[in-house]
Amino acid sequence: MFSDNKKPRVMTEIGGQPNRIEKNTKIKGDIISEADFRIDGKLDGNVKTSGKVVIGKGGYIHGKVECVNADIEGSFNGELLVSDLLSLKASAVIEGTVSVTKLAVEPGATFNASCTMKGKGGASAASTSTASTAASTSSSSAASSYKQPLRTSSNGPAKAS
């Protein structure tokens, strides 16, 4: 029952235990971590993590967030850089600039942001969304299908502008 050959626990998460900022907590400053974050309070500052950021329903961030994935139920105002998936719940309110690879938006979410979506090859398409209620899963997918007119010159072949 009490043997000495117990194997040590191996952390399954790369960054260790997730961090939590509870409601009724206000923080001013910058946070850098490799672990996930859940924010149910208020943060006035920047967050940089190689994990996931979750903003709870009562949570609010004003600043810059850099992360791999993000789930937002609360409010965000600032610059949001998500290298993989940004998921906006129906209660989410986003303002500022957003850069993502994948975007999922539930109906009812407020997404007033300038959005840049990066494709698999690193190419990006930019769009500005001012809709109060997002009904589609990707507000900037239309920007990637825009074709620019060709301009011709008497000195050479046609060039895309």
Side-chain angles (χ1 to χ4, degrees):
M1 184 171 193
F2 297 105
S3 66
D4 289 333
N5 48 351
K6 275 191 172 179
K7 294 180 183 175
R9 285 187 172 183
V10 178
M11 296 295 285
T12 57
E13 296 179 41
I14 293 173
Q17 295 293 321
N19 298 291
R20 184 171 221 151
I21 298 172
E22 295 291 338
K23 66 180 184 177
N24 300 322
T25 301
K26 295 178 185 177
I27 295 178
K28 283 188 178 184
D30 298 338
I31 298 171
I32 300 172
S33 176
E34 292 183 12
D36 296 346
F37 263 91
R38 179 173 178 96
I39 296 159
D40 291 307
K42 307 223 180 308
L43 173 66
D44 188 5
N46 305 320
V47 177
K48 185 173 184 177
T49 179
S50 56
K52 182 178 192 175
V53 172
V54 176
I55 302 176
K57 200 166 190 172
Y60 174 75
I61 295 179
H62 180 265
K64 181 177 180 179
V65 173
E66 295 179 65
C67 60
V68 175
N69 294 305
D71 287 346
I72 301 178
E73 291 182 87
S75 300
F76 177 82
N77 188 334
E79 185 178 3
L80 183 58
L81 305 169
V82 182
S83 61
D84 194 25
L85 174 65
L86 170 61
S87 178
L88 303 179
K89 305 301 181 191
S91 57
V93 177
I94 308 297
E95 294 181 350
T97 59
V98 176
S99 176
V100 297
T101 301
K102 294 181 258 182
L103 177 64
V105 182
E106 286 185 0
T110 302
F111 188 70
N112 294 324
S114 172
C115 183
T116 303
M117 292 191 75
K118 296 180 178 141
K120 292 178 184 176
S124 64
S127 171
T128 301
S129 174
T130 56
S132 293
T133 303
S136 70
T137 58
S138 176
S139 63
S140 61
S141 61
S144 63
S145 62
Y146 176 75
K147 294 181 181 174
Q148 297 180 4
L150 293 176
R151 291 189 183 169
T152 57
S153 169
S154 60
N155 295 337
K159 296 179 184 177
S161 56

